[in-house]
Amino acid sequence: MLKSIKKEILMRQSYLNDAKISSIYFGGGTPSILNKGEIQSLIHTIYNNFKIDTDAEITLECNPDDLDKKKLLELKEIGVNRLSIGIQSFDDADLKFMNRSHNAKEALSCIQFAKELGFENITIDLIYGLPNQSNENWKKNLAQMLTLDIQHFSAYSLTVEPKTKLKHLIDKKLVTTLDDKITVEHFNTLVEIASENNFVHYEISNFGKEGFFSIHNSAYWKNRHYLGVGPSAHSFNGSSRQWNIASNKQYIEKVNKDGSYFEVEQLSSSQRFNEYIFTALRTIWGIDLDYINNQFGQEALNYFKKQIINWENKGKIKKEGNTYTLTKGGKLYADAIASDLFII
């Protein structure tokens, strides 16, 4: 797998047109199972084939049970400067329900070890809206996080995917999902507590201290170009989107036989408009009328202005200058508002 990923990096070094790289992100699985030498070799391959900013953000996704002091020290030594830790919860009952392999004690310990070893940019994931999760329990989760003095976190509402164990348990009435009203209460609690503790709610699910917004994810939301390598990885160059084959076995075979290991979709103007609306609406930077006019033309701008009036009148979206952003109440309706603005 590592040889194939390195080969793909070599094959795709022209994809970003010699642009400087501001972010390198190891994710989409559990890259923390790789050893020091394996991660280091991938970083070297990237540096040898791309121009990298001197202060580039280098993030590695990891699970708490993968991170002991030795592992953390190795990651720091090879240049990883940001950790994204899949905590999910600081409550053992929640973790057991989600079938996580770590416990609350391990979750706390790995963050404390990382801070002791000098990691100054740590983000964690939390999940709310779990069955039987009261708002008080959710508050305790957030309170525990705040004691750790981290710089960034993401919080997601539990979603039930088809063909999963959770969906099966719900269908069998062995698990009862939370009422939407309680999930909304969790979200409002989240926003309030984050604001009280100097976290900026800069994207629907993301909260960061000033100076610690995710450079990597912000690139997605700001419609910037990016290159993804490895199975299932997606790439975007402004005019087309491509995605690699999902199967590990087929990816390795096709990359090494110079076969077609990816699919490409040329994006129409309407598709690019819809993607811009969907991503920009979720952020504090919002939707810019000048950008719509310059990128998509007067007709698209007129369409947007006509469609947005209804949501503006409902108080779900506000306009400042040439920019539209969601109001506090509008954040609960982001997907519905975006779909209403799409050009079909």
Side-chain angles (χ1 to χ4, degrees):
M1 176 61 76
L2 289 168
K3 286 178 183 176
S4 301
I5 290 173
K6 288 177 195 172
K7 183 170 183 181
E8 187 187 359
I9 290 170
L10 293 172
M11 290 191 295
R12 302 190 65 192
Q13 58 183 302
S14 63
Y15 185 80
L16 296 174
N17 293 321
D18 218 24
K20 264 203 167 183
I21 306 300
S22 61
S23 167
I24 301 169
Y25 194 101
F26 292 89
T30 313
S32 53
I33 65 169
L34 298 176
N35 65 38
K36 176 183 176 181
E38 290 166 338
I39 299 170
Q40 191 170 34
S41 70
L42 289 173
I43 291 175
H44 283 167
T45 305
I46 295 167
Y47 269 80
N48 289 337
N49 289 280
F50 294 90
K51 293 178 181 176
I52 313 296
D53 278 344
T54 54
D55 59 348
E57 176 186 272
I58 304 179
T59 306
L60 185 119
E61 282 188 2
C62 40
N63 288 329
D65 43 309
D66 293 328
L67 298 180
D68 55 23
K69 286 187 176 180
K70 180 177 180 289
K71 181 75 169 186
L72 286 162
L73 191 58
E74 289 176 348
L75 293 175
K76 192 156 180 46
E77 286 173 353
I78 61 178
V80 173
N81 54 30
R82 184 173 184 265
L83 297 174
S84 177
I85 308 175
I87 300 291
Q88 316 303 348
S89 176
F90 293 104
D91 183 286
D92 281 330
D94 291 346
L95 293 170
K96 186 175 181 181
F97 170 77
M98 290 185 280
N99 201 29
R100 301 295 293 175
S101 55
H102 67 275
N103 58 38
K105 185 179 178 181
E106 287 172 320
L108 292 168
S109 294
C110 75
I111 296 171
Q112 289 161 347
F113 290 158
K115 291 181 66 179
E116 287 171 15
L117 294 173
F119 281 96
E120 297 176 346
N121 195 350
I122 298 171
T123 182
I124 69 169
D125 290 349
L126 294 175
I127 295 181
Y128 60 92
L130 296 167
N132 301 319
Q133 184 183 40
S134 69
N135 199 44
E136 283 307 308
N137 284 345
W138 177 229
K139 284 180 180 178
K140 286 178 183 177
N141 240 325
L142 294 172
Q144 181 66 81
M145 177 196 69
L146 293 170
T147 66
L148 298 167
D149 191 29
I150 58 173
Q151 297 76 30
H152 186 284
F153 72 97
S154 304
Y156 305 99
S157 175
L158 179 71
T159 54
V160 181
E161 301 289 348
K163 298 180 181 178
T164 60
K165 182 179 178 181
L166 178 57
K167 181 68 166 66
H168 173 76
L169 292 173
I170 291 169
D171 289 345
K172 293 288 185 181
K173 302 196 184 311
L174 297 172
V175 168
T176 304
T177 55
L178 275 192
D179 185 276
D180 284 348
K181 288 181 180 178
I182 301 175
T183 302
V184 168
E185 186 181 11
H186 285 186
F187 179 78
N188 288 335
T189 295
L190 164 69
V191 172
E192 182 182 338
I193 289 176
S195 176
E196 289 172 353
N197 289 277
N198 300 316
F199 281 96
V200 179
H201 190 190
Y202 71 104
E203 194 271 346
I204 291 290
S205 302
N206 285 270
F207 303 77
K209 298 283 180 72
E210 288 288 355
F212 289 96
F213 298 174
S214 169
I215 293 172
H216 191 84
N217 288 343
S218 293
Y220 297 145
W221 303 322
K222 292 181 176 180
N223 221 31
R224 291 177 181 161
H225 302 178
Y226 55 87
L227 166 63
V229 297
S232 296
H234 282 235
S235 304
F236 173 65
N237 65 4
S239 59
S240 68
R241 190 173 298 286
Q242 70 181 65
W243 54 96
N244 290 353
I245 196 165
S247 162
N248 287 358
K249 183 174 183 290
Q250 290 182 46
Y251 169 80
I252 292 169
E253 288 175 357
K254 289 179 180 289
V255 166
N256 287 289
K257 290 179 182 176
D258 295 317
S260 178
Y261 62 91
F262 60 86
E263 292 184 54
V264 179
E265 178 184 27
Q266 293 296 325
L267 299 173
S268 67
S269 179
S270 294
Q271 286 174 313
R272 290 190 298 110
F273 172 87
N274 292 347
E275 288 191 5
Y276 170 69
I277 294 296
F278 183 75
T279 53
L281 185 66
R282 295 174 61 90
T283 72
I284 58 171
W285 304 292
I287 296 169
D288 184 87
L289 294 180
D290 291 334
Y291 183 90
I292 292 177
N293 192 36
N294 294 334
Q295 293 292 318
F296 309 110
Q298 188 65 46
E299 188 176 340
L301 180 62
N302 291 341
Y303 173 82
F304 173 83
K305 286 181 175 178
K306 179 184 176 184
Q307 295 296 107
I308 201 69
I309 291 172
N310 177 45
W311 292 104
E312 197 174 3
N313 290 340
K314 289 180 178 178
K316 305 302 182 188
I317 201 158
K318 61 185 177 183
K319 182 182 182 218
E320 293 180 13
N322 271 345
T323 303
Y324 284 90
T325 55
L326 294 170
T327 62
K328 182 181 177 181
K331 289 174 181 176
L332 294 166
Y333 297 87
D335 290 350
I337 296 171
S339 65
D340 208 27
L341 299 171
F342 288 166
I343 295 174
I344 306 300

